[in-house]
PDB file of all heavy atoms in Angstrom:
ATOM      1  N   PRO G 441     -72.944  62.269  -0.565  1.00  0.00           N
ATOM      2  CA  PRO G 441     -73.293  63.493  -1.252  1.00  0.00           C
ATOM      3  C   PRO G 441     -74.640  64.133  -0.752  1.00  0.00           C
ATOM      4  O   PRO G 441     -74.746  65.443  -0.687  1.00  0.00           O
ATOM      5  CB  PRO G 441     -73.401  63.084  -2.769  1.00  0.00           C
ATOM      6  CG  PRO G 441     -73.061  61.713  -2.946  1.00  0.00           C
ATOM      7  CD  PRO G 441     -72.688  61.121  -1.634  1.00  0.00           C
ATOM      8  N   HIS G 442     -75.598  63.253  -0.431  1.00  0.00           N
ATOM      9  CA  HIS G 442     -76.815  63.892   0.014  1.00  0.00           C
ATOM     10  C   HIS G 442     -76.761  64.546   1.386  1.00  0.00           C
ATOM     11  O   HIS G 442     -77.329  65.568   1.644  1.00  0.00           O
ATOM     12  CB  HIS G 442     -77.936  62.840   0.115  1.00  0.00           C
ATOM     13  CG  HIS G 442     -77.812  61.792   1.177  1.00  0.00           C
ATOM     14  ND1 HIS G 442     -76.961  60.604   1.034  1.00  0.00           N
ATOM     15  CD2 HIS G 442     -78.280  61.669   2.430  1.00  0.00           C
ATOM     16  CE1 HIS G 442     -77.003  59.983   2.111  1.00  0.00           C
ATOM     17  NE2 HIS G 442     -77.771  60.583   2.986  1.00  0.00           N
ATOM     18  N   VAL G 443     -75.751  64.065   2.154  1.00  0.00           N
ATOM     19  CA  VAL G 443     -75.465  64.757   3.462  1.00  0.00           C
ATOM     20  C   VAL G 443     -74.759  66.076   3.220  1.00  0.00           C
ATOM     21  O   VAL G 443     -75.219  67.067   3.757  1.00  0.00           O
ATOM     22  CB  VAL G 443     -74.568  63.835   4.316  1.00  0.00           C
ATOM     23  CG1 VAL G 443     -74.229  64.552   5.685  1.00  0.00           C
ATOM     24  CG2 VAL G 443     -75.198  62.485   4.527  1.00  0.00           C
ATOM     25  N   ALA G 444     -73.764  66.018   2.321  1.00  0.00           N
ATOM     26  CA  ALA G 444     -73.068  67.322   1.986  1.00  0.00           C
ATOM     27  C   ALA G 444     -74.054  68.331   1.301  1.00  0.00           C
ATOM     28  O   ALA G 444     -74.051  69.526   1.625  1.00  0.00           O
ATOM     29  CB  ALA G 444     -72.007  67.035   0.979  1.00  0.00           C
ATOM     30  N   GLU G 445     -74.906  67.833   0.380  1.00  0.00           N
ATOM     31  CA  GLU G 445     -75.852  68.761  -0.264  1.00  0.00           C
ATOM     32  C   GLU G 445     -76.812  69.506   0.745  1.00  0.00           C
ATOM     33  O   GLU G 445     -77.141  70.588   0.712  1.00  0.00           O
ATOM     34  CB  GLU G 445     -76.694  67.968  -1.245  1.00  0.00           C
ATOM     35  CG  GLU G 445     -77.751  68.688  -1.974  1.00  0.00           C
ATOM     36  CD  GLU G 445     -77.223  69.759  -2.887  1.00  0.00           C
ATOM     37  OE1 GLU G 445     -75.987  69.714  -3.302  1.00  0.00           O
ATOM     38  OE2 GLU G 445     -77.932  70.671  -3.340  1.00  0.00           O
ATOM     39  N   GLN G 446     -77.331  68.664   1.804  1.00  0.00           N
ATOM     40  CA  GLN G 446     -78.144  69.114   2.759  1.00  0.00           C
ATOM     41  C   GLN G 446     -77.478  70.224   3.650  1.00  0.00           C
ATOM     42  O   GLN G 446     -78.101  71.271   3.956  1.00  0.00           O
ATOM     43  CB  GLN G 446     -78.671  68.025   3.750  1.00  0.00           C
ATOM     44  CG  GLN G 446     -79.763  68.392   4.642  1.00  0.00           C
ATOM     45  CD  GLN G 446     -81.067  68.844   3.882  1.00  0.00           C
ATOM     46  OE1 GLN G 446     -81.474  68.046   3.071  1.00  0.00           O
ATOM     47  NE2 GLN G 446     -81.545  70.012   4.085  1.00  0.00           N
ATOM     48  N   VAL G 447     -76.130  70.122   3.883  1.00  0.00           N
ATOM     49  CA  VAL G 447     -75.521  71.130   4.647  1.00  0.00           C
ATOM     50  C   VAL G 447     -75.503  72.382   3.920  1.00  0.00           C
ATOM     51  O   VAL G 447     -75.697  73.489   4.480  1.00  0.00           O
ATOM     52  CB  VAL G 447     -74.016  70.524   4.905  1.00  0.00           C
ATOM     53  CG1 VAL G 447     -73.144  71.771   5.473  1.00  0.00           C
ATOM     54  CG2 VAL G 447     -73.965  69.434   5.924  1.00  0.00           C
ATOM     55  N   LEU G 448     -75.223  72.363   2.622  1.00  0.00           N
ATOM     56  CA  LEU G 448     -75.160  73.530   1.707  1.00  0.00           C
ATOM     57  C   LEU G 448     -76.543  74.113   1.584  1.00  0.00           C
ATOM     58  O   LEU G 448     -76.771  75.304   1.607  1.00  0.00           O
ATOM     59  CB  LEU G 448     -74.576  73.197   0.439  1.00  0.00           C
ATOM     60  CG  LEU G 448     -73.001  72.717   0.580  1.00  0.00           C
ATOM     61  CD1 LEU G 448     -72.521  72.336  -0.901  1.00  0.00           C
ATOM     62  CD2 LEU G 448     -72.096  73.781   1.222  1.00  0.00           C
ATOM     63  N   GLN G 449     -77.560  73.268   1.358  1.00  0.00           N
ATOM     64  CA  GLN G 449     -79.010  73.794   1.230  1.00  0.00           C
ATOM     65  C   GLN G 449     -79.411  74.458   2.500  1.00  0.00           C
ATOM     66  O   GLN G 449     -80.145  75.407   2.330  1.00  0.00           O
ATOM     67  CB  GLN G 449     -79.870  72.586   0.790  1.00  0.00           C
ATOM     68  CG  GLN G 449     -79.680  72.021  -0.508  1.00  0.00           C
ATOM     69  CD  GLN G 449     -80.169  72.814  -1.688  1.00  0.00           C
ATOM     70  OE1 GLN G 449     -80.756  73.942  -1.457  1.00  0.00           O
ATOM     71  NE2 GLN G 449     -79.879  72.383  -2.871  1.00  0.00           N
ATOM     72  N   ASP G 450     -78.951  73.977   3.573  1.00  0.00           N
ATOM     73  CA  ASP G 450     -79.326  74.608   4.935  1.00  0.00           C
ATOM     74  C   ASP G 450     -78.498  75.811   5.164  1.00  0.00           C
ATOM     75  O   ASP G 450     -78.712  76.362   6.304  1.00  0.00           O
ATOM     76  CB  ASP G 450     -79.270  73.548   6.019  1.00  0.00           C
ATOM     77  CG  ASP G 450     -80.340  72.400   5.858  1.00  0.00           C
ATOM     78  OD1 ASP G 450     -81.314  72.624   5.213  1.00  0.00           O
ATOM     79  OD2 ASP G 450     -80.027  71.356   6.573  1.00  0.00           O
ATOM     80  N   GLN G 451     -77.622  76.155   4.269  1.00  0.00           N
ATOM     81  CA  GLN G 451     -76.684  77.314   4.446  1.00  0.00           C
ATOM     82  C   GLN G 451     -75.921  77.316   5.745  1.00  0.00           C
ATOM     83  O   GLN G 451     -75.602  78.236   6.364  1.00  0.00           O
ATOM     84  CB  GLN G 451     -77.547  78.626   4.420  1.00  0.00           C
ATOM     85  CG  GLN G 451     -78.286  78.792   3.123  1.00  0.00           C
ATOM     86  CD  GLN G 451     -79.031  80.104   2.988  1.00  0.00           C
ATOM     87  OE1 GLN G 451     -78.634  81.096   3.564  1.00  0.00           O
ATOM     88  NE2 GLN G 451     -80.153  80.124   2.213  1.00  0.00           N
ATOM     89  N   GLU G 452     -75.479  76.088   6.177  1.00  0.00           N
ATOM     90  CA  GLU G 452     -74.566  75.885   7.182  1.00  0.00           C
ATOM     91  C   GLU G 452     -73.188  76.140   6.802  1.00  0.00           C
ATOM     92  O   GLU G 452     -72.332  76.467   7.682  1.00  0.00           O
ATOM     93  CB  GLU G 452     -74.660  74.534   7.787  1.00  0.00           C
ATOM     94  CG  GLU G 452     -75.975  74.187   8.539  1.00  0.00           C
ATOM     95  CD  GLU G 452     -76.001  72.906   9.087  1.00  0.00           C
ATOM     96  OE1 GLU G 452     -75.766  71.824   8.419  1.00  0.00           O
ATOM     97  OE2 GLU G 452     -76.165  72.671  10.386  1.00  0.00           O
ATOM     98  N   ALA G 453     -72.821  76.179   5.506  1.00  0.00           N
ATOM     99  CA  ALA G 453     -71.519  76.411   5.033  1.00  0.00           C
ATOM    100  C   ALA G 453     -71.598  76.690   3.484  1.00  0.00           C
ATOM    101  O   ALA G 453     -72.622  76.479   2.873  1.00  0.00           O
ATOM    102  CB  ALA G 453     -70.684  75.245   5.248  1.00  0.00           C
ATOM    103  N   ASP G 454     -70.508  77.134   2.926  1.00  0.00           N
ATOM    104  CA  ASP G 454     -70.362  77.457   1.583  1.00  0.00           C
ATOM    105  C   ASP G 454     -69.714  76.321   0.802  1.00  0.00           C
ATOM    106  O   ASP G 454     -69.976  76.246  -0.474  1.00  0.00           O
ATOM    107  CB  ASP G 454     -69.641  78.746   1.344  1.00  0.00           C
ATOM    108  CG  ASP G 454     -70.146  79.924   2.014  1.00  0.00           C
ATOM    109  OD1 ASP G 454     -71.347  80.368   1.602  1.00  0.00           O
ATOM    110  OD2 ASP G 454     -69.535  80.433   2.954  1.00  0.00           O
ATOM    111  N   MET G 455     -68.997  75.511   1.478  1.00  0.00           N
ATOM    112  CA  MET G 455     -68.387  74.247   0.892  1.00  0.00           C
ATOM    113  C   MET G 455     -68.147  73.248   1.890  1.00  0.00           C
ATOM    114  O   MET G 455     -68.324  73.543   3.163  1.00  0.00           O
ATOM    115  CB  MET G 455     -67.095  74.663   0.130  1.00  0.00           C
ATOM    116  CG  MET G 455     -65.899  75.215   0.912  1.00  0.00           C
ATOM    117  SD  MET G 455     -64.523  75.687  -0.066  1.00  0.00           S
ATOM    118  CE  MET G 455     -64.167  74.293  -1.163  1.00  0.00           C
ATOM    119  N   VAL G 456     -67.795  72.037   1.430  1.00  0.00           N
ATOM    120  CA  VAL G 456     -67.727  70.951   2.339  1.00  0.00           C
ATOM    121  C   VAL G 456     -66.351  70.229   2.203  1.00  0.00           C
ATOM    122  O   VAL G 456     -66.026  69.851   1.073  1.00  0.00           O
ATOM    123  CB  VAL G 456     -68.855  69.909   2.125  1.00  0.00           C
ATOM    124  CG1 VAL G 456     -68.664  68.658   2.857  1.00  0.00           C
ATOM    125  CG2 VAL G 456     -70.255  70.526   2.396  1.00  0.00           C
ATOM    126  N   SER G 457     -65.707  69.968   3.323  1.00  0.00           N
ATOM    127  CA  SER G 457     -64.421  69.274   3.267  1.00  0.00           C
ATOM    128  C   SER G 457     -64.649  67.745   3.697  1.00  0.00           C
ATOM    129  O   SER G 457     -65.445  67.522   4.656  1.00  0.00           O
ATOM    130  CB  SER G 457     -63.442  69.897   4.372  1.00  0.00           C
ATOM    131  OG  SER G 457     -62.383  69.065   4.427  1.00  0.00           O
TER     132      SER G 457
END
Side-chain angles (χ1 to χ4, degrees):
H442 70 273
V443 180
E445 178 70 17
Q446 190 63 56
V447 168
L448 299 178
Q449 292 284 358
D450 292 344
Q451 299 184 29
E452 291 185 301
D454 302 294
M455 64 186 306
V456 172
S457 171

